[in-house]
Amino acid sequence: MKQITSRDNALFKELKHLATNANARRKSGKTLLDGAHLCQAYLQHRGGPELCIVSESSLQNSEVQQIIAECEKQNAKVVALPDSLYQAISQVDNGVGLVFVANAPSATIAGPLALDAVLLDGLQDPGNLGSILRSAAAAGIKQVYCGEGTASAWSPKVLRAGMGAHFLLEIFESVDLQTLIKESSIPVFATSSHTTTNIYQANLTQPLAWLFGHEGQGVSQNLMALAHAVVTIPQRAEIESLNVAASGAICFFEQVRQRLK
């Protein structure tokens, strides 16, 4: 285990830059996994990280010790930082004191839509995006396509909200959703309050893709016009709309319920 004690250390400066600068993460193709749960999920599904960073105060934590041991077993480099330096790396208050530096996969679209999927048009809130990824993975959906304007799926905030779901999904970013929908071999479903067909009347037993949009503006008109089906989630008239992450969860698990029948 390597110890770094100086703010002038080149590796520490690089780590701080990654932690605080989205462009640096994008250019390097790396991201930060903050906390024991995310790190354990990464070890389970992807193997050893590029780098394991641990605060000195957490070295006696039994959970952290197990993760460090697994990292060393897989020949991953481990670096210990004084708490004062570690705080410049972590974005979590009162966290366990453990961060992985890992590659952010860049998936390439292999062909037209053929598997259950989620399409995201301009979704901007990291919490909503992470929650949708988590619900999608839990429902057995395998692919997520993020259109232009959607938050970075591999940002630390989205990773924390996803709670490990990223490692069970194929995530495609900066996707031309219009072309994807036009060439899709499965139906694409969108939700709207301006339709009479509710989600419980729709046949969701077939492979399909769900299309969700921006938190305030919803799905863009050009994409909505391409959707093969538009359904609504029944709700009280006094509430204008549901949160997009809540809508996603309802859709995914109604799909699960129908298939279980």
Side-chain angles (χ1 to χ4, degrees):
M1 183 186 302
K2 180 179 180 180
Q3 290 190 321
I4 294 176
T5 58
S6 172
R7 293 183 181 275
D8 295 324
N9 179 275
L11 178 56
F12 172 75
K13 288 182 177 180
E14 179 185 346
L15 293 173
K16 185 177 179 181
H17 194 48
L18 279 175
T20 58
N21 191 298
N23 286 331
R25 293 192 295 271
R26 191 175 301 112
K27 289 180 180 179
S28 66
K30 299 175 184 177
T31 191
L32 302 184
L33 313 180
D34 204 324
H37 179 85
L38 268 182
C39 293
Q40 286 172 335
Y42 188 88
L43 284 169
Q44 179 182 355
H45 298 291
R46 299 294 173 92
E50 180 175 312
L51 181 64
C52 172
I53 308 162
V54 59
S55 67
E56 287 184 348
S57 64
S58 68
L59 287 172
Q60 304 306 313
N61 182 297
S62 60
E63 188 175 31
V64 172
Q65 288 175 347
Q66 291 175 0
I67 293 172
I68 291 174
E70 183 60 29
C71 286
E72 292 176 336
K73 182 179 177 181
Q74 299 197 36
N75 297 316
K77 186 177 180 181
V78 181
V79 172
L81 298 176
D83 288 11
S84 58
L85 296 189
Y86 179 85
Q87 290 169 4
I89 305 300
S90 175
Q91 299 178 5
V92 176
D93 294 330
N94 303 315
V96 72
L98 182 73
V99 167
F100 278 4
V101 177
N103 292 323
S106 179
T108 302
I109 299 174
L113 282 173
L115 303 174
D116 289 330
V118 180
L119 281 54
L120 301 174
D121 174 32
L123 195 72
Q124 294 187 342
D125 181 78
N128 282 335
L129 177 51
S131 181
I132 285 177
L133 296 179
R134 188 177 180 184
S135 295
I141 293 171
K142 299 296 185 183
Q143 297 181 329
V144 177
Y145 295 83
C146 301
E148 294 289 347
T150 297
S152 171
W154 293 95
S155 72
K157 288 183 178 179
V158 177
L159 279 158
R160 290 198 298 274
M163 294 291 288
H166 288 70
F167 313 130
L168 299 173
L169 297 165
E170 283 187 287
I171 301 173
F172 307 90
E173 296 193 276
S174 300
V175 177
D176 179 353
L177 295 182
Q178 188 165 338
T179 299
L180 187 70
I181 296 172
K182 286 181 178 179
E183 297 178 351
S184 176
S185 59
I186 59 175
V188 175
F189 278 63
T191 60
S192 171
S193 58
H194 306 295
T195 184
T196 57
T197 302
N198 75 56
I199 188 175
Y200 307 112
Q201 297 169 325
N203 177 10
L204 307 180
T205 59
Q206 60 193 316
L208 59 92
W210 292 101
L211 173 62
F212 299 102
H214 181 276
E215 286 84 354
Q217 301 161 12
V219 176
S220 59
Q221 291 183 356
N222 61 324
L223 292 182
M224 185 65 81
L226 294 173
H228 301 99
V230 181
V231 296
T232 188
I233 299 172
Q235 62 187 71
R236 289 182 57 171
E238 294 90 339
I239 301 298
E240 181 181 352
S241 63
L242 290 174
N243 169 273
V244 64
S247 296
I250 291 170
C251 293
F252 304 155
F253 284 96
E254 171 57 17
Q255 176 179 305
V256 170
R257 186 194 68 81
Q258 290 192 18
R259 293 177 182 184
L260 287 175
K261 286 182 64 178

